[in-house]
Amino acid sequence: MESSREKSIVEFFKAKTILVTGSTGFLFKNVKRVFLLIRAADAASAMQRLEHEILGKELFKALKEKYGDGFQSFARSKLWPVAGDIAHENLGIQDSNLVNKLFKEVQIIVNVAATTNFSYVSGTERSGLIPEKRLSMGETLRSGSNSCYLDIEAEIDLVEKKKVELQADHNLTPLAQKLAMKELGMQRFFGWPNTYVFTKAMGEMVLGHSRGNLPLVIVRPSIITSILRDPLPGWIEGIRTTDIFMMAYADRKLQSFPGDPQMTVDLIPGDMVVNAMMATTVAHSKQQSEFIYHVGSSTRNPITYDSLLQCWFDYFSMNPRTGKDGTPLKITRKMTLSIRTTFLIMVYKFLLQVLHLIHFITCGFIFGRLYDDLNRKYKYLKLLIDLFEPYAFFKGRFDDANLEKLRAMMGKEEMLFDMDSKHIEWNSYLHDIHIPGILKYE
């Protein structure tokens, strides 16, 4: 591993040309050029998305203050939006000359593209300390009699054939086709809890198998939360994962959920993830091998679900949200996380079915509005349970020994790129930075 004392992180990125996919923000002050792959129909649309969805964010406040009226010209000198789509061949780039330009100029590729926000490339049935281990081609998380080989090409072929079959059925609406594809995905996890982490795992396998002599660094963050320090404390793009529950709780739509309150919830601020990505890129830029890094907090600075829920209660009992009618949504008790909640939900469903029967027998004259309201709430809760319940019982902790070794090698200048979860004081971070940030940028 190249010592960061020999070449600082800042010095390394000077005059480098970088291709970033899935970009909503990236440190670009010292680089030569950053090509940003943006899902768009053409160059003009890509530029418009760059202007409004990236540069228009408050995230760039510090640079805007520094460069003033010259910010736009500075940004355009560094950033080159590329219209395309990572899901297509040649990144969906239609211009062959541009493809050749990227091939000749790009020295570093940073892929952070995704369509949702699950983060672990890990099965939820795993427990104990999970090592920073590469995934071999065809490996699955199933063991024993359920073990099998994952044929990625066969999976892709299955998906393509299913799409053709659905598109040929003119009786199906686009929404019905989409739901059918989702149902297919729900059946083929091979031990992973959802299609997002499953396809991430397949991506790791393909990259590791096909990289040749290129250096490959795979950074596996846990649940990414708002920025802790730089460049804008509290900033985050949208509401996701645990924050979905927090907002539902604050709006008094959710009071309990299936889970174990003593389980660790692995959170990590977004700036620490970016810092880790930059530091690991520098460390292995000259090494023709594959490196795996976990970036999380469950090993070095764990926080339990119970502590997280207590922070939510402390904040919103003092700072209640406002309802549609303008009255405060007072929070009087902490959200409960319990195995008993599963039983209560079953009772709720049974009572809902009784209401539906009465509603049907009386042709909608009795309990009609009540049934519709409760049924809507039940469907929302069921969706949350299907998506997140496995994580509420997750017993694993992610080993970050490789990241700790890298931190130990960093010089004084590189310490500015903080990626040590021990530096997070959870109560003050959640109460003073993260929750206010969610409310501000939701």
Side-chain angles (χ1 to χ4, degrees):
M1 183 183 295
E2 181 179 330
S3 172
S4 54
R5 290 183 176 86
E6 298 173 8
K7 182 177 290 186
S8 74
I9 294 173
V10 173
E11 286 294 321
F12 174 84
F13 282 99
K14 279 186 177 178
K16 290 293 192 299
T17 299
I18 305 169
L19 170 65
V20 181
T21 71
S23 53
T24 55
F26 195 81
L27 182 64
F28 58 86
K29 183 171 65 173
N30 294 293
V31 300
K32 177 182 178 181
R33 180 176 294 136
V34 176
F35 290 100
L36 298 178
L37 184 70
I38 298 175
R39 187 178 298 161
D42 50 42
S45 299
M47 177 60 76
Q48 187 176 35
R49 287 197 66 189
L50 171 65
E51 296 283 352
H52 294 285
E53 298 180 26
I54 299 178
L55 297 180
K57 300 290 185 183
E58 194 176 346
L59 181 66
F60 294 95
K61 179 179 178 181
L63 284 176
K64 289 176 181 177
E65 291 176 349
K66 178 178 180 178
Y67 289 96
D69 293 339
F71 172 74
Q72 288 294 334
S73 59
F74 165 75
R76 289 183 178 182
S77 72
K78 298 289 185 178
L79 301 179
W80 187 314
V82 177
D85 190 331
I86 195 171
H88 295 91
E89 188 175 357
N90 284 334
L91 303 179
I93 302 172
Q94 303 298 320
D95 186 344
S96 59
N97 292 327
L98 181 54
V99 173
N100 292 331
K101 181 180 180 66
L102 292 173
F103 184 79
K104 292 177 182 178
E105 295 186 18
V106 170
Q107 298 157 293
I108 302 166
I109 299 175
V110 180
N111 175 35
V112 290
T115 56
T116 188
N117 196 47
F118 291 98
S119 300
Y120 305 107
V121 181
S122 171
T124 54
E125 294 181 1
R126 301 175 73 181
S127 60
L129 193 63
I130 299 172
E132 294 164 299
K133 172 182 171 293
R134 70 182 295 270
L135 293 170
S136 301
M137 197 67 170
E139 179 180 348
T140 73
L141 295 187
R142 291 176 176 170
S143 59
S145 59
N146 291 323
S147 62
C148 57
Y149 179 80
L150 171 58
D151 188 333
I152 294 179
E153 290 296 331
E155 291 299 308
I156 294 173
D157 186 54
L158 174 67
V159 169
E160 292 299 328
K161 287 181 178 178
K162 186 65 174 180
K163 284 174 63 178
V164 171
E165 175 188 322
L166 292 172
Q167 290 168 356
D169 189 343
H170 300 296
N171 294 320
L172 292 176
T173 64
L175 177 59
Q177 293 177 14
K178 185 176 181 179
L179 291 175
M181 290 302 297
K182 281 188 176 182
E183 187 176 340
L184 174 65
M186 295 288 285
Q187 299 169 3
R188 308 191 67 78
F189 291 166
F190 290 87
W192 283 274
N194 54 64
T195 51
Y196 176 69
V197 292
F198 173 42
T199 52
K200 279 177 69 74
M202 287 196 290
E204 286 192 15
M205 294 177 197
V206 172
L207 285 171
H209 182 75
S210 308
R211 67 174 183 82
N213 292 324
L214 291 175
L216 173 63
V217 175
I218 293 175
V219 173
R220 296 173 181 162
S222 57
I223 299 174
I224 301 176
T225 56
S226 63
I227 291 173
L228 173 63
R229 295 188 182 89
D230 295 318
L232 186 63
W235 186 88
I236 190 169
E237 187 88 80
I239 299 174
R240 36 192 97 187
T241 53
T242 55
D243 298 321
I244 295 174
F245 295 90
M246 182 187 75
M247 296 304 290
Y249 167 70
D251 290 337
R252 297 198 311 201
K253 295 178 179 177
L254 188 65
Q255 295 296 323
S256 61
F257 194 82
D260 186 340
Q262 298 309 314
M263 290 295 99
T264 295
V265 51
D266 200 321
L267 309 176
I268 192 73
D271 49 334
M272 288 192 169
V273 177
V274 173
N275 290 341
M277 291 169 64
M278 297 177 69
T280 55
T281 298
V282 175
H284 302 295
S285 62
K286 303 293 184 181
Q287 298 179 332
Q288 299 176 346
S289 190
E290 180 178 352
F291 305 90
I292 307 293
Y293 286 89
H294 289 164
V295 184
S297 61
S298 58
T299 299
R300 293 175 55 77
N301 188 13
I303 177 174
T304 64
Y305 278 101
D306 188 60
S307 297
L308 179 65
L309 299 181
Q310 185 64 50
C311 284
W312 293 356
F313 172 73
D314 292 342
Y315 186 90
F316 289 108
S317 61
M318 297 295 293
N319 306 277
R321 299 263 286 170
T322 302
K324 292 180 180 180
D325 60 358
T327 60
L329 298 173
K330 293 182 179 180
I331 299 296
T332 58
R333 66 184 181 90
K334 186 170 74 172
M335 180 178 171
T336 58
L337 202 66
S338 171
I339 297 174
R340 289 182 63 250
T341 304
T342 303
F343 171 74
L344 295 176
I345 291 171
M346 292 173 63
V347 173
Y348 187 98
K349 183 179 180 181
F350 172 74
L351 295 175
L352 192 62
Q353 289 173 334
V354 172
L355 277 178
H356 182 259
L357 180 60
I358 297 173
H359 175 71
F360 176 77
I361 293 174
T362 61
C363 298
F365 288 107
I366 300 179
F367 299 136
R369 183 174 297 179
L370 177 62
Y371 170 77
D372 290 340
D373 181 55
L374 294 178
N375 188 45
R376 184 170 57 253
K377 290 179 179 179
Y378 172 76
K379 287 182 177 179
Y380 175 69
L381 179 60
K382 187 66 169 60
L383 174 63
L384 291 179
I385 290 173
D386 289 343
L387 289 174
F388 297 109
E389 184 180 22
Y391 297 95
F393 290 100
F394 183 65
K395 298 180 180 179
R397 293 181 298 111
F398 293 91
D399 185 16
D400 63 349
N402 290 343
L403 198 64
E404 175 59 20
K405 291 176 185 176
L406 180 59
R407 281 193 294 263
M409 295 181 64
M410 293 174 69
K412 186 176 293 185
E413 181 181 343
E414 283 70 41
M415 288 300 178
L416 295 173
F417 293 84
D418 190 10
M419 50 187 178
D420 190 347
S421 63
K422 278 191 174 180
H423 295 163
I424 307 168
E425 204 294 303
W426 286 115
N427 285 336
S428 62
Y429 165 67
L430 292 168
H431 193 277
D432 301 332
I433 298 176
H434 179 68
I435 298 177
I438 290 293
L439 297 176
K440 181 177 181 179
Y441 299 110
E442 64 173 304

